[in-house]
């Protein structure tokens, strides 16, 4: 996708000449130094092959065609050994970093709302040895408080250094760690804590007060609450004698000689023991706990690490996604296994412009200058839209230059070339948004739109990898090759997993399809988890063991394998609806196409099988909608615009044009829509933490509108 703009022909001429002269002068030496030819070959090479020779697979990475790779370092087969390995190899290197809070203030906005703003100081680091000791003492302290090996323990906490210290303590002492997202609803959290029968929970002061306190009565077995960020204080109003301790106090207990002696005889975990029970919100129903063993996680991080070239102890990773998400947990464990630094952050303090950072002070990326970063598409989309707004505000000349450079670089990238001049002059400023040192960006959790992926690739001057994996497969599945500049694909299988396509008759996907084999994605290998906690029925539906003893998970996603062994996600089984006239509509496909439309921030397509057409709920892009309204002479606030039938008609017209241009079938195009002024966030309960649509909740939320759009009202 190109950025479009009427550009002054003279300027175009000047730009072309400058670039031409520069290219001629530098091309030959540069071609040999940068190895553009090699880059191109590397991008196009075959990355995975079907090991059976059949189009359905199993497909396996060419880097491990004989057998899957299970461990990172010889003999390191449990997570406590991974940390021990790192602590003995990199004892004095920085491990976990947290910024000091210098001051905090409430800032009143012009509209009367109050925002909390913070000024943060330098990163303060724990070395590997210090972090290891802290974990050891914390584990032995928990044991002294009555926590038994192989009995579950819960963590309900924001992403921060103490989270990883806790996790490592639990790995060492073989306490299976139950993780819960902080955005899950009260009943879902109570369900998880009650189902896993935990007696101890690690949390933060904030979450205890705002979320946990209200549900304590529904978790009858809970006895101990450990707060990571509080001085030892009294918590008088706890029900039925629940004990509250600070993490520091528990570590002090654990450091006492009589307790650390117990530590010597701790029961060591086996590779098959459960390391984590991870509750995933899922897009339907109650959350499910996925049982992940030590060997699962180790296979997963082995696969992930293989896709990050030159991963070294001198890399810096910025941790800010929820650690209760398998992508973030695996990424941080990968970093620890290689001795990298992890600096902690949060979505509200990430950049200088972030909402909680006081104007004029530095955001976390500026301070940390990370080299590695993971992101979910939602965050990348936000950056994309921010930068584009900035570009719109530039002077005409600056804007034209930016767009010229952008389109020029896109052309060069697709040929395997770099554009050092444009990088230095034009994209330098955008790149500094993330600190200026990023060498790899990894996106996972949901599909990243090709436009955003290309944009990040061009503006941040580093490869943008896309991964595909689920909690059930321990995050492992595929990650795209860093040299691969194509978009819209999720890459080849990791070295720890095999991927097979299974025919799906109703959806019309077969491994014999031309030009590429298609079908439901099954992921197999040592990374595939032990299944759902206490749900035998669902385990039998979703998991199976093949005749060779390999375990498989049926993902419900539909994929297609390209000739170079890369996978493209094209559909989802659950999202298929049969219309009244018998046509099948894939809601996911319709949404994926329409989301590329700049007017649309988010869309949920909906169809009833007893109706003949598709409808949609749309979150329009505020800026674009306002512009469109001005053009059409429709007055009103954002909410009024969203309620106006005139605007509904206008947006529908734009959507229909985009859909036809992208070759959707006539019956796939929404015939009616409902515009929503409120964006969908995990807090509204309409999308999951990974920003996947929760169709059931959306349906309930828009019930009245559905009836109206289908002519009931
Ligand atoms: C960590 O603990 C070991 C053994 O208790 C001790 O020798 C070492 O000095 C400690 N290291 C740090 C950095 O506190
Ligand atoms: C907690 O779990 C027990 C069974 O383990 C069940 O009987 C009880 O209803 C559950 N309580 C809540 C509040 O979910
Ligand atoms: C880390 O060190 C290696 C060599 O030791 C070097 O090639 C690499 O560029 C360094 N990476 C960073 C991010 O500084
Ligand atoms: C098992 O999972 C299925 C599907 O999500 C759900 O309907 C059922 O209630 C679950 N059973 C238990 C015991 O949690
Ligand atoms: C827009 O419509 C919604 C739902 O129909 C209603 O609750 C809201 O008050 C309306 N807002 C305006 C500004 O008309
Ligand atoms: C839980 C699980 O599936 N574990 C398997 C992991 O892989 C090894 C080797 O393939 C198997 O022996 C385990 O049973």
């Amino acid at each position: 996708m190109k950025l479009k703009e009427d550009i002054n022909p003279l300027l175009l001429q000047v730009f072309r000449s400058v670039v031409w002269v520069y290219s001629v002068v530098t091309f030959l030496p540069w071609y040999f130094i940068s190895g553009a030819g090699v880059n191109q070959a590397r991008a196009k090479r075959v990355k995975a092959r079907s090991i059976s020779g059949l189009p359905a697979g199993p497909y396996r990475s060419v880097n491990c065609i004989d057998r899957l790779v299970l461990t990172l370092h010889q003999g390191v087969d449990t997570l406590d050994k991974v940390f021990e390995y790192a602590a003995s190899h990199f004892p004095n290197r920085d491990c976990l970093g947290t910024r000091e809070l210098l001051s905090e203030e409430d800032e009143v906005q012009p509209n009367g709302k109050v925002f909390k703003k913070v000024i943060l100081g330098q990163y303060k680091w724990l070395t590997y040895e210090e972090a290891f000791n802290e974990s050891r003492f914390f584990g032995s302290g928990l044991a002294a408080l009555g926590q038994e090996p192989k009995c579950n323990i819960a963590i309900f906490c924001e992403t921060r250094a103490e989270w990883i210290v806790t996790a490592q303590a639990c790995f060492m002492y073989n306490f299976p760690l139950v993780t819960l997202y902080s955005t899950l609803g009260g009943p879902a959290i109570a369900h998880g804590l009650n189902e896993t029968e935990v007696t101890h929970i690690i949390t933060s002061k904030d979450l205890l007060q705002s979320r946990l306190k209200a549900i304590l009565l529904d978790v009858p077995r809970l006895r101990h609450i450990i707060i990571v960020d509080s001085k030892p204080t009294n918590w008088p109003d706890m029900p039925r004698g629940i004990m509250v301790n600070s993490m520091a106090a528990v570590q002090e207990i654990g450091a006492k000689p009589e307790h650390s002696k117990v530590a010597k005889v701790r029961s060591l975990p086996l590779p098959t023991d459960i390391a984590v029970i991870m509750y995933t919100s899922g897009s339907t129903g109650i959350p499910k706990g996925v049982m992940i063993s030590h060997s699962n996680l180790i296979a997963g991080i082995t696969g992930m690490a293989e896709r990050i070239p030159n991963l070294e102890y001198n890399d810096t990773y910025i941790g800010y996604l929820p650690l209760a998400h398998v992508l973030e947990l695996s990424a941080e464990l990968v970093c620890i296994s290689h001795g990298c630094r992890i600096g902690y952050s949060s979505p509200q303090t990430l950049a200088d412009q972030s909402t909680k950072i006081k104007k004029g002070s530095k955001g976390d990326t500026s301070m940390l200058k990370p080299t590695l970063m993971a992101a979910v598409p939602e965050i990348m989309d936000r950056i994309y839209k921010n930068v584009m707004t900035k570009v719109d505000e530039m002077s005409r000349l600056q804007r034209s230059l930016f767009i010229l450079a952008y389109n020029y670089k896109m052309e060069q990238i697709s040929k395997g070339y770099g554009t050092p001049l444009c990088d230095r002059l034009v994209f330098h400023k955008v790149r500094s948004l993330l600190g200026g040192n990023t060498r790899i960006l990894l996106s996972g959790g949901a599909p990243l739109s090709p436009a955003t992926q290309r944009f990040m690739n061009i503006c941040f001057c580093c490869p943008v990898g896309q991964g595909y994996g689920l909690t059930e497969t321990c995050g492992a599945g595929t990650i795209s090759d860093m040299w691969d500049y194509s978009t819209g694909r999720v890459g080849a299988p990791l070295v720890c997993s095999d991927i097979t396509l299974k025919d799906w008759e109703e959806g019309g996907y077969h491994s014999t399809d031309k030009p590429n084999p298609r079908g439901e994605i099954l992921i197999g290998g040592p990374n595939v988890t032990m299944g759902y906690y206490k749900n035998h029925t669902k385990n039998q539906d979703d998991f199976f063991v093949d005749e060779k003893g390999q375990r498989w998970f049926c993902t419900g996603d539909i994929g297609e394998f390209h000739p170079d062994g890369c996978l493209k996600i094209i559909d989802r089984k659950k999202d298929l609806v049969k219309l009244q006239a018998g046509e099948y509509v894939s809601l996911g496909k319709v949404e994926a196409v329409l989301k590329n439309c700049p007017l649309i921030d988010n869309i949920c397509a909906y169809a009833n099988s007893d109706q003949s057409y598709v409808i949609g709920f749309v979150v329009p892009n505020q800026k674009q909608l306002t512009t469109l309204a001005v053009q059409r002479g429709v007055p009103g606030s954002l909410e009024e615009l969203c309620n106006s039938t005139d605007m509904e008609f206008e947006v529908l017209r734009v959507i229909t044009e985009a859909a036809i241009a992208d070759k959707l079938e006539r019956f796939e195009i929404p015939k009616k829509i409902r515009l929503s002024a409120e964006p969908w966030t995990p807090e509204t309960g309409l999308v999951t933490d990974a920003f996947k649509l929760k169709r059931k909740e959306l349906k309930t939320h828009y019930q009245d509108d559905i009836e109206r759009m289908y002519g009931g009202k």
Side-chain angles (χ1 to χ4, degrees), residues 106 168 190 195 204 256 371 377 403 465 541 546 710:
D106 290 333
Q168 297 291 358
E195 187 175 60
S204 66
K256 287 190 180 149
T371 58
I403 290 170
D541 291 348
D546 68 13
Y710 277 141

Side-chain angles (χ1 to χ4, degrees), residues 422-473:
C422 291
D423 289 357
R424 192 151 333 134
L425 296 183
V426 183
F427 301 115
H428 175 77
K429 226 169 146 199
V430 186
R431 187 166 151 78
S432 66
L433 275 180
L434 297 184
N437 281 354
T438 34
R439 65 181 191 95
I440 291 173
L441 268 171
L442 183 63
S443 165
L448 180 63
S449 83
T452 306
Q453 185 178 1
R454 181 59 87 216
F455 172 85
M456 303 296 282
N457 213 262
I458 288 176
C459 292
F460 290 106
C461 312
C462 73
V464 179
Q466 228 199 127
Y468 168 74
L470 303 98
T471 312
E472 287 85 343
T473 63

Side-chain angles (χ1 to χ4, degrees), residues 141-158:
L142 288 171
L145 284 185
Q147 174 69 38
E148 299 274 344
K150 296 210 184 192
C151 289
N152 301 330
I153 182 169
I155 186 161
F156 181 60
C157 187
E158 305 87 0

Side-chain angles (χ1 to χ4, degrees), residues 187 190-191 193-197 215 217-221 534:
H191 167 79
L193 295 178
N194 185 41
E195 187 175 60
T196 50
E197 307 183 11
I215 56 164
L217 289 174
D218 300 328
V219 194
R221 288 189 181 76
K534 292 191 181 166

Side-chain angles (χ1 to χ4, degrees), residues 45-100:
R45 81 186 172 102
V46 169
K47 297 154 200 94
R49 274 206 297 270
S50 167
I51 50 176
S52 66
L54 299 173
Y59 287 81
R60 186 177 284 180
S61 165
V62 292
N63 301 345
C64 64
I65 206 80
D66 296 328
R67 62 202 306 225
L68 295 178
V69 182
L70 306 182
T71 52
L72 221 42
H73 311 295
Q74 189 90 43
V76 179
D77 56 1
T78 55
L79 292 165
D80 59 317
K81 290 184 195 162
V82 173
F83 198 30
E84 231 173 291
Y85 174 94
S88 66
H89 281 71
F90 318 103
N92 300 318
R93 298 204 71 90
D94 292 340
C95 179
L96 307 173
T98 307
R99 287 183 79 181
E100 268 180 308

Side-chain angles (χ1 to χ4, degrees), residues 191 195 284-288 532-538 541:
H191 167 79
E195 187 175 60
T284 50
I286 50 169
K288 298 164 293 196
Y532 300 111
Y533 192 66
K534 292 191 181 166
N535 196 334
H536 190 61
T537 333
K538 189 143 176 64
D541 291 348

Side-chain angles (χ1 to χ4, degrees), residues 14 69 87 114 130 132 134 186 251 259 281 344 351 360 394 419 427 443 485 510 517 562 570 595 635 648 655 657 688:
V14 172
V69 182
V114 178
E130 285 163 350
F132 185 78
E134 285 217 357
Q251 281 167 331
H259 293 128
S281 45
Y344 286 94
M394 285 177 186
T419 55
F427 301 115
S443 165
Y485 46 74
H510 299 93
H562 289 180
I570 51 176
K595 254 188 158 174
E648 247 172 48
I655 286 183
E657 272 171 21
T688 70

